[in-house]
């Protein structure tokens, strides 16, 4: 499973990218607002930090508007992925952009039917928002299971399932068991993946015993 980081905070991205475990980055208008920075400037900086796909989301809602914005965003860097909303205009834009070889991340997906349309339109990634489904009393992971099952039926579907709106390590593990290709994680969730209290307890005991031997390795 590939790990993307879901943030526009370049300090966080630098810190996490230094682990060598970050495959890409996703942003959205809310994350850009939170960064307080110029959209073009921050996307360019992220693209320099992470060589993998960096999603930059259009703000237009019409086909022509989305294509015009994509034409401004794509030249920022070769690793920019254009993010479009799952609307009819977004699907039309996906079809047009993917035919031109532009990578497209179709966002705000909340149903398997939407995911099927995005694949048919040639999306590089489909982003089902699982946390937001959980928030309204549904099970977001059921949607990941449905989409993975559907996509697996057709060799022609190359669209990758990019699990979004992730809230916990449990979301990541369950989605990985289903074969989802990518998870985009808030920095705190990515950090949590490495943690276990028994690791800390075990390490403390080993270090104490090692100290007691009086030996040194170097
Ligand atoms: C995905 O690309 C989105 O940026 C993100 O995962 C949305 O997550 P949220 O529901 O926590 O805002």
């Amino acid at each position: 499973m590939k790990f993307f980081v879901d943030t526009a905070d370049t300090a966080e991205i630098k810190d996490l990218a230094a682990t060598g475990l970050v495959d890409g980055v996703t942003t959205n208008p809310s994350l850009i607002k939170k960064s307080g920075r110029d959209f073009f400037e921050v996307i360019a900086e992220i693209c320099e930090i992470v060589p993998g796909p960096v999603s930059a989301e259009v703000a237009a809602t019409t086909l022509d508007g989305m294509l015009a914005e994509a034409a401004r965003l794509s030249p920022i860097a070769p690793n920019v992925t254009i993010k479009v909303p799952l609307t009819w205009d977004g699907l039309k834009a996906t079809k047009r952009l993917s035919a031109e070889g532009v990578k497209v991340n179709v966002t705000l997906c909340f149903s398997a039917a939407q995911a099927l349309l995005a694949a048919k339109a040639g999306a590089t990634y489909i982003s089902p928002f699982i946390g937001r489904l959980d928030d309204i009393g549904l099970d977001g992971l059921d949607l990941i299971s449905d989409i993975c099952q559907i996509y697996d039926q057709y060799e022609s579907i190359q669209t990758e399932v990019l699990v979004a709106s992730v809230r916990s390590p449990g979301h990541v593990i369950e989605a990985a068991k289903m074969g989802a290709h990518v998870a985009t994680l808030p920095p705190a969730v990515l950090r949590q993946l490495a943690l276990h209290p028994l690791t800390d307890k075990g390490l403390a005991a080993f270090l104490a015993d090692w100290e007691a031997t009086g030996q040194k390795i170097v």
Side-chain angles (χ1 to χ4, degrees), residues 98-206:
S98 61
E100 291 166 15
V102 175
K103 287 192 170 146
V104 184
N105 175 359
V106 179
T107 190
L108 290 167
C109 170
F110 293 95
S111 78
Q114 291 179 319
L116 197 49
L117 286 171
K120 206 166 168 56
T124 314
Y125 304 105
I126 182 67
S127 289
F129 277 35
I130 62 173
R132 294 192 193 189
L133 283 168
D134 291 355
D135 290 345
I136 61 162
L138 298 173
D139 188 342
L141 284 164
D142 282 349
L143 176 57
I144 301 302
S145 171
D146 285 349
I147 298 172
C148 288
Q149 189 189 341
I150 292 167
Y151 281 11
D152 277 353
Q153 309 303 312
Y154 301 95
E155 262 179 39
S156 58
I157 293 183
Q158 297 298 314
T159 305
E160 295 193 13
V161 179
L162 195 172
V163 184
S165 188
V166 169
R167 306 272 201 255
S168 66
H171 272 160
V172 182
I173 298 313
E174 291 308 312
K177 280 156 76 177
M178 292 165 188
H181 307 85
V182 193
T184 188
L185 311 178
V189 174
L190 182 49
R191 290 200 172 87
Q192 279 176 353
L193 290 181
L195 305 179
H196 197 287
L198 290 179
T199 302
D200 297 340
K201 192 178 166 198
L203 181 59
F206 284 158

Side-chain angles (χ1 to χ4, degrees), residues 67 94-103:
L67 294 178
T94 302
K95 185 82 186 164
R96 290 271 292 272
L97 292 168
S98 61
E100 291 166 15
V102 175
K103 287 192 170 146

